[in-house]
Amino acid sequence: MINIIRIKNATFYGYHGVSNEEQYVGGKFEADIDIHTDFTESASGDDLTKTVDYYQVYSFLNQFTVKRKYYLIESLAIEIATELLKKFERIIKVAVRVRKNNPPLGGVVECHEAQVKNDTKEIKR
């Protein structure tokens, strides 16, 4: 059985963007993570060790987003998805959405977002 664990609107401060200002001053980013896994066994036994620990996923995400600067949130989203699949063996498939709030587009835009979907068939652990 495939189940989904979701982390929504995880917020972090990062230095991602093309302009010098974005790379130096930084800005607020948000991420949603859809984790496809089978948590049937862990749910029936109420056992955290038999599922994906979303505290660990959030901690990984928070550390990963400040480790390196990216010009494109598309690149950031792909790297997050790939690394989650490598790090957490119980993840079968993952969808990652990264949003940049108030992007400097010359007008009023709430955010822009990049989404990537990846599964274990597409990466080498």
Side-chain angles (χ1 to χ4, degrees):
M1 177 185 293
I2 302 296
N3 313 110
I4 301 174
I5 297 170
R6 287 195 171 95
I7 297 175
K8 297 183 88 171
N9 291 321
T11 303
F12 54 93
Y13 199 87
Y15 299 88
H16 312 297
V18 176
S19 74
N20 287 337
E21 182 177 329
E22 291 173 300
Q23 291 273 316
Y24 181 72
V25 175
K28 183 175 137 183
F29 293 81
E30 295 171 347
D32 300 329
I33 312 289
D34 295 346
I35 300 164
H36 297 247
T37 189
D38 182 355
F39 58 67
T40 308
E41 184 181 3
S42 68
S44 66
D46 199 25
D47 186 351
L48 179 61
T49 65
K50 296 188 173 152
T51 188
V52 178
D53 182 342
Y54 39 91
Y55 174 81
Q56 289 182 10
V57 172
Y58 177 81
S59 295
F60 164 81
L61 175 66
N62 196 34
Q63 292 172 9
F64 189 86
T65 57
V66 296
K67 187 182 347 180
R68 176 178 163 203
K69 294 179 182 181
Y70 289 88
Y71 288 114
L72 304 176
I73 62 170
E74 295 89 331
S75 300
L76 177 59
I78 287 171
E79 289 295 320
I80 290 169
T82 300
E83 292 305 313
L84 284 171
L85 287 167
K86 287 180 182 177
K87 184 170 176 62
F88 298 94
E89 290 183 10
R90 293 187 184 271
I91 297 177
I92 299 165
K93 179 179 173 182
V94 67
V96 175
R97 284 171 299 286
V98 176
R99 281 180 298 286
K100 179 188 286 189
N101 293 298
N102 304 314
L105 300 178
V108 179
V109 177
E110 180 181 338
C111 68
H112 68 98
E113 178 177 85
Q115 176 175 306
V116 62
K117 294 179 181 179
N118 205 343
D119 62 41
T120 54
K121 297 176 214 158
E122 298 181 37
I123 62 113
K124 292 182 182 179
R125 292 189 180 194

